[in-house]
Amino acid sequence: MMKTSKASTTKLRANNLEIAMTILQLSVACVVNVETIRYYQREKLLNTPKREFGSIRRYGAVELSCLLFIKRAQTIGFSLTEISLLLKLAEGEHCAETKMLAEKKLVAIKQKVADLLSIKSSLEKLISACRKGKGGCGCPIIDSLVGGERTLS
C-alpha cells in the first residue's frame, strides 16, 4: 500500500478538510469505476478502510492519493505489477530502484514503438499493393494473410 508522507497527507487534508468519501465519491473523484477500486483492493494496491459498526467504509486522503498515483502511473505506461512495486518503493527513499524500473520501462516502450513502426510500414505496403491490384486478381492483404507471409517487409 502506498503510504504518503506526513507533509503530503497534511496538505491533502488541509485542502480537503479531512476527506471522508464513500467508494462512489472516490470513484467519481478519480474518474474510475467502483469495481476498479475493489479490484485494486483485492490486488493489495489500495487499502480497504475499516467499516465502522453499522456503517459504510469511508475513504480518506491516503486512499485518494494512492488511487491518483495508480492512475498517473498507468497513464505513463506502467502495468499494475510494476505499480505495485512502485507503491512499495514510494514508502521510503528508493530513487535508484525507481529510476532503474523506469529505465527498463522506457526500453520496453522503445521496442514497442519500433515494433509498431514495422507493423505500420508493412500495412502501408499492403494497402499500396491493394490499390495497384487489378480487378479480379485477388487481394494482396488477404493473400498475405492466407499465405502466412510476414507481410511485405
Side-chain angles (χ1 to χ4, degrees), residues 106-121:
L106 182 58
V107 168
I109 288 171
K110 285 180 178 180
Q111 182 59 54
K112 283 183 183 180
V113 168
D115 293 345
L116 287 171
L117 288 172
S118 175
I119 291 168
K120 177 184 176 273
S121 175

Side-chain angles (χ1 to χ4, degrees), residues 11-45:
K11 188 175 182 181
L12 277 170
R13 286 185 179 149
N15 291 339
N16 294 300
L17 303 174
E18 190 62 43
I19 298 170
M21 295 183 281
T22 65
I23 194 168
L24 180 61
Q25 291 168 328
L26 181 64
S27 74
V28 169
C30 295
V31 193
V32 299
N33 191 298
V34 168
E35 288 306 314
T36 301
I37 294 172
R38 290 188 177 123
Y39 176 76
Y40 293 163
Q41 290 171 329
R42 285 191 305 274
E43 295 297 313
K44 308 293 186 216
L45 293 169

Side-chain angles (χ1 to χ4, degrees), residues 34-139:
V34 168
E35 288 306 314
T36 301
I37 294 172
R38 290 188 177 123
Y39 176 76
Y40 293 163
Q41 290 171 329
R42 285 191 305 274
E43 295 297 313
K44 308 293 186 216
L45 293 169
L46 186 64
N47 289 327
T48 304
K50 292 187 174 162
R51 189 184 305 249
E52 297 294 324
F53 182 74
S55 179
I56 59 173
R57 298 184 202 287
R58 293 292 175 175
Y59 296 81
V62 172
E63 291 81 20
L64 175 65
S65 177
C66 183
L67 190 53
L68 291 172
F69 179 99
I70 292 167
K71 298 314 296 174
R72 284 189 296 265
Q74 284 180 318
T75 300
I76 61 171
F78 286 103
S79 68
L80 290 181
T81 301
E82 293 164 331
I83 292 170
S84 176
L85 180 56
L86 286 170
L87 286 168
K88 289 174 185 152
L89 292 172
E91 292 177 8
E93 297 295 321
H94 301 284
C95 190
E97 294 95 332
T98 304
K99 180 183 176 193
M100 194 178 331
L101 181 63
E103 288 171 341
K104 285 181 183 177
K105 186 53 146 183
L106 182 58
V107 168
I109 288 171
K110 285 180 178 180
Q111 182 59 54
K112 283 183 183 180
V113 168
D115 293 345
L116 287 171
L117 288 172
S118 175
I119 291 168
K120 177 184 176 273
S121 175
S122 296
L123 281 172
E124 286 171 341
K125 289 176 184 175
L126 286 169
I127 290 167
S128 178
C130 199
R131 288 186 199 134
K132 294 176 187 172
K134 297 185 175 152
C137 292
C139 175

